[in-house]
Amino acid sequence: MVRNILIAGMIASGLTLGPRLAAAAGEVEVLHWWTSGGEAAALNVLKDDLESKSVTWQDMPVAGGGGTEAMTALRARVTAGNAPTAVQMLGFDILDWAKEGALGNLNAVAAEEGWDDVIPTALQGFGKHDGNWISAPVNVHSTNWVWINKAALDAAGGKAPESWDELVAVLDRMQENGITPLGHGGQAWQEATIFDAVVLSLGTDFYKMSMIDLDPEALGSETMKEAFDRMAKLRSYVDDNFSGRDWNLASAMVIEGTAGMQMMGDWAKGEFLNAGKTPGEDFVCIRFPGTQGAVTFNSDQFAMFAVGDDRIPAQHLMASAIMAPKFQSAFNVVKGSVPARTDISDADFDDCGKKGMKDLAEANVNGTLFGSMAHGHAAPAGVKNALYDVVTAHFNGAYDSSTAVEELVNAVEGAM
Ligand code: BGC
């Protein structure tokens, strides 16, 4: 119906479209959790791109960083027999929906555009199921970043920390200087995001063994106790009002200088840019001290659901638009992430974006690129949620570090 009106409207307005575009014009309903200022700015790049191709965007935003709430809303929609056209999704969630047989098939678009040759292998592992393309990756984010207010860093000695001890020293100085050293929002996924980096800072093998292989020995080790001790130390630098605070409000504290730094994925950069801030001048981006050379990644992909034939042309056009090289650059420059293709120039990216692209490529070659636990690329949702529960309970003081280690082992065992 909408499509017919659209096409009729275009004919009436004298637009002469090629048969492929005319056939593809239609509507996509898109479920996503990009509701912060920076996220919305990036989403607009995608909306505008599709609208320029005569595809109407039906927005279904579900607020909640990390996407937990969005995934609950999605389940309800699919159960009601009314799946959206495309859904922002992370890692193992995509594969879970594919296993349920709920997703469509993008092989024709992927073959025509050579996706196999340009999408990084690590992303293909989540974009394909049983050899079939099921989703279109829009970006690569990573979680082991720290975003520091430049003036606050200068006041704390001016040197970006490179080790855990240097990090603690800078946080102490910020405390002495009367600001909240660590801007943080008390939500389980945000604590898990810091945990990604803290575990990685204790060794790439340790991250892999504990978060990806879920090895009970690594999960129950002294090194894991050290990880929890570090989490407790970081907790001591957070203000009293952190509970429930959204991540972008914690970014705002750093942007305004009431907090010194935030440990968050590079979507945080989107907030700094949206506030008119410049890397190197207003803020500094570093890898979490001790994780230089390694990357915990997550990739937002648009999982394409099995929809009626009338909705497939617009769905395929959306997949194709997402993978277009120009779009990958334009979108990721705004979002804070890096392209999901290996053949994109870094010319339009700021220094943090250039570093992100370089770090990703190097980690890929060096075997130090790992899926983020916090953002669904290390283990399926059941295990991820079990880990979240323990990490957040410990951060909120319910467990000491030794108890947290025991609970972690039990939680993972129970979730498998
Ligand atoms: C997504 C990002 C998003 C962030 C906060 C992450 O899981 O990958 O795109 O900006 O959550 O909402």
Side-chain angles (χ1 to χ4, degrees):
M1 174 69 173
V2 173
R3 183 177 155 229
N4 289 344
I5 293 172
L6 227 153
I7 292 174
M10 286 187 299
I11 292 167
S13 67
L15 279 180
T16 49
L17 296 174
R20 187 167 177 269
L21 192 54
E27 182 182 273
V28 286
E29 191 195 1
V30 186
L31 192 157
H32 63 88
W33 65 91
W34 284 336
T35 55
S36 77
E39 291 174 329
L43 191 70
N44 279 337
V45 179
L46 178 56
K47 280 186 191 166
D48 292 349
D49 188 82
L50 288 177
E51 272 161 18
S52 77
K53 296 178 168 70
S54 304
V55 175
T56 308
W57 180 278
Q58 172 96 33
D59 206 31
M60 198 190 165
V62 181
T68 309
E69 290 79 2
M71 290 304 100
T72 306
L74 172 64
R75 174 66 59 190
R77 283 286 302 265
V78 179
T79 306
N82 182 23
T85 319
V87 180
Q88 178 196 356
M89 221 183 268
L90 297 172
F92 280 91
D93 289 341
I94 307 172
L95 301 180
D96 282 348
W97 281 108
K99 282 183 205 141
E100 289 194 28
L103 302 187
N105 184 315
L106 298 174
N107 287 353
V109 187
E112 197 181 318
E113 300 179 353
W115 290 11
D116 282 344
D117 300 330
V118 292
I119 296 178
T121 323
L123 269 51
Q124 293 195 24
F126 298 106
K128 275 174 153 180
H129 177 66
D130 277 349
N132 297 315
W133 278 102
I134 47 177
S135 66
V138 67
N139 64 17
V140 188
H141 274 300
S142 56
T143 55
N144 57 319
W145 286 104
V146 184
W147 308 91
I148 314 178
N149 178 293
K150 175 82 168 50
L153 180 64
D154 288 345
K159 183 182 175 297
E162 290 176 24
S163 64
W164 172 254
D165 289 344
E166 286 181 16
L167 174 67
V168 169
V170 171
L171 288 162
D172 283 340
R173 290 288 295 277
M174 288 176 167
Q175 195 141 45
E176 286 158 21
N177 291 343
I179 58 171
T180 299
L182 186 56
H184 174 69
Q187 296 173 344
W189 74 271
Q190 296 190 57
E191 273 115 40
T193 302
I194 300 182
F195 193 69
D196 268 0
V198 166
V199 171
L200 188 66
S201 75
L202 291 164
T204 50
D205 286 347
F206 178 59
Y207 184 89
K208 181 175 179 298
M209 281 191 301
S210 59
M211 296 293 103
I212 303 216
D213 301 342
L214 303 172
D215 171 34
E217 260 184 51
L219 289 166
S221 63
E222 270 303 304
T223 313
M224 189 57 81
K225 180 171 172 293
E226 172 68 17
F228 279 109
D229 284 344
R230 288 187 176 191
M231 291 298 288
K233 182 74 179 160
L234 293 177
R235 166 68 186 86
S236 73
Y237 295 110
V238 172
D239 66 315
D240 288 343
N241 296 323
F242 79 107
S243 216
R245 176 188 289 142
D246 286 332
W247 67 273
N248 52 314
L249 299 181
S251 305
M253 290 166 68
V254 180
I255 291 170
E256 286 155 13
T258 54
M261 65 178 84
Q262 180 183 25
M263 295 160 179
M264 188 44 68
D266 39 12
W267 46 90
K269 193 186 78 180
E271 295 305 301
F272 284 83
L273 299 183
N274 196 47
K277 302 298 179 192
T278 307
E281 285 174 25
D282 305 305
F283 68 98
V284 175
C285 58
I286 58 165
R287 290 291 173 183
F288 188 95
T291 72
Q292 298 90 331
V295 169
T296 37
F297 81 96
N298 63 299
S299 164
D300 292 301
Q301 305 209 14
F302 279 98
M304 299 297 176
F305 276 71
V307 289
D309 285 352
D310 58 327
R311 288 163 69 192
I312 289 179
Q315 185 183 57
H316 285 189
L317 206 145
M318 179 176 172
S320 166
I322 285 172
M323 290 321 303
K326 264 196 180 151
F327 169 78
Q328 285 274 334
S329 179
F331 175 87
N332 286 300
V333 159
V334 179
K335 183 70 172 68
S337 38
V338 306
R341 299 177 61 116
T342 51
D343 59 347
I344 308 292
S345 156
D346 69 1
D348 288 344
F349 287 79
D350 59 32
D351 288 350
C352 298
K354 285 187 169 64
K355 176 173 167 53
M357 287 173 80
K358 187 165 167 281
D359 288 354
L360 179 69
E362 285 176 5
N364 189 32
V365 171
N366 296 337
T368 52
L369 175 65
F370 305 103
S372 152
M373 178 280 287
H375 294 267
H377 283 69
V383 172
K384 180 185 90 171
N385 292 334
L387 291 166
Y388 271 25
D389 287 349
V390 178
V391 170
T392 204
H394 169 267
F395 199 79
N396 284 286
Y399 304 139
D400 63 18
S401 296
S402 301
T403 313
V405 170
E406 281 167 32
E407 292 292 334
L408 200 70
V409 176
N410 294 339
V412 170
E413 194 189 306
M416 295 216 302

